[in-house]
Amino acid sequence: GEDVEQSLFLSVREGDSSVINCTYTDSSSTYLYWYKQEPGAGLQLLTYIFSNMDMKQDQRLTVLLNKKDKHLSLRIADTQTGDSAIYFCAEIPYSGAGSYQLTFGKGTKLSVIP
Amino acid sequence: DTGVSQDPRHKITKRGQNVTFRCDPISEHNRLYWYRQTLGQGPEFLTYFQNEAQLEKSRLLSDRFSAERPKGSFSTLEIQRTEQGDSAMYLCASRDRGDAGELFFGEGSRLTVL
């Protein structure tokens, strides 16, 4: 079955760059997503990338996609304490049912040290 | 507020009782999803509606779970004869037509079964 893997923890100093990595298994995935979840809150979409792209930049966020290796990364430049949260990578695996439901990784907890 | 809203935000119940959660999606969204998130895990897909039709159900959705979306607007998720293993955050999400694109999540309904 489909599986999305992420490292569980990342700790960085304020002002440094953070890089969160993700691997996925379904080569037919069309879109790949990064969501952010703060404590006690729902999921907030940060960005998504279409599978025919290899990079997408949005202000402090840069997404890199290596489709050959099925590897996705999220780089946060100039990391701030407000970026402390859990970051989820997600894909839409092909299910044939047309639901386009997301499959999530377990999340990477980013801790920003002041 | 025009986001996805869920009610109640928190529910504590005794084992064996029935509980019902409600989700109001963004008004023009015809696709609605329920996910479950347990501690330390990413959200897991439960079920999907397109308008009022329930088109896909995960194997996680046991016979004790039932979801409806009677008029294609709000949805309810009922859990009968709750068990301690049902304790989780139940997340609702909605999105507009099309192949993929942004999935908007609600803040979730946290269930604790004693």
Side-chain angles (χ1 to χ4, degrees), chain B:
Chain B
D1 184 25
T2 57
V4 178
S5 62
Q6 293 187 243
D7 183 69
R9 293 290 311 279
H10 302 275
K11 178 73 177 177
I12 300 173
T13 191
K14 291 184 180 178
R15 189 176 53 185
Q17 298 295 302
N18 299 343
V19 297
T20 300
F21 300 114
R22 176 180 168 124
C23 170
D24 286 272
I26 293 171
S27 59
E28 62 268 25
H29 287 181
N30 70 332
R31 297 176 191 231
L32 185 147
Y33 303 75
W34 284 99
Y35 282 79
R36 182 176 71 184
Q37 186 179 19
T38 53
L39 201 62
Q41 302 293 316
E44 296 172 295
F45 170 75
L46 291 179
T47 190
Y48 158 70
F49 290 85
Q50 185 171 323
N51 299 311
E52 66 276 8
Q54 187 175 19
L55 297 184
E56 194 170 348
K57 290 195 291 187
S58 161
R59 65 184 184 281
L60 295 175
L61 215 65
S62 76
D63 291 345
R64 297 184 297 104
F65 287 69
S66 62
E68 294 182 344
R69 195 182 182 198
K71 298 180 181 177
S73 56
F74 73 92
S75 175
T76 58
L77 176 69
E78 182 184 15
I79 309 173
Q80 295 182 324
R81 305 180 304 281
T82 51
E83 301 173 356
Q84 287 183 324
D86 298 330
S87 295
M89 176 79 87
Y90 290 86
L91 295 164
C92 177
S94 71
R95 67 175 179 84
D96 206 346
R97 305 168 198 275
D99 288 346
E102 185 166 357
L103 192 63
F104 291 84
F105 279 85
E107 302 259 319
S109 293
R110 181 170 293 283
L111 173 65
T112 302
V113 182
L114 301 176

Side-chain angles (χ1 to χ4, degrees), chain A residues 31-46:
Chain A
Y31 289 89
L32 295 135
Y33 298 76
W34 284 104
Y35 278 85
K36 177 183 180 182
Q37 188 176 38
E38 297 184 38
L43 281 84
Q44 173 196 353
L45 178 68
L46 288 177

Side-chain angles (χ1 to χ4, degrees), chain A residues 7-76:
Chain A
S7 52
L8 296 182
F9 301 99
L10 177 66
S11 182
V12 299
R13 292 204 174 276
E14 190 174 16
D16 288 350
S17 292
S18 309
V19 180
I20 303 171
N21 295 301
C22 166
T23 57
Y24 60 98
T25 56
D26 193 328
S27 59
S28 65
S29 290
T30 52
Y31 289 89
L32 295 135
Y33 298 76
W34 284 104
Y35 278 85
K36 177 183 180 182
Q37 188 176 38
E38 297 184 38
L43 281 84
Q44 173 196 353
L45 178 68
L46 288 177
T47 187
Y48 63 90
I49 188 168
F50 189 50
S51 59
N52 69 352
M53 298 169 65
D54 51 19
M55 186 180 93
K56 181 178 180 182
Q57 188 150 3
D58 183 2
Q59 299 182 334
R60 293 191 297 123
L61 305 178
T62 303
V63 179
L64 295 177
L65 174 61
N66 181 329
K67 200 172 179 184
K68 174 177 170 287
D69 295 337
K70 301 191 189 74
H71 182 266
L72 183 73
S73 68
L74 173 71
R75 178 177 181 270
I76 306 172

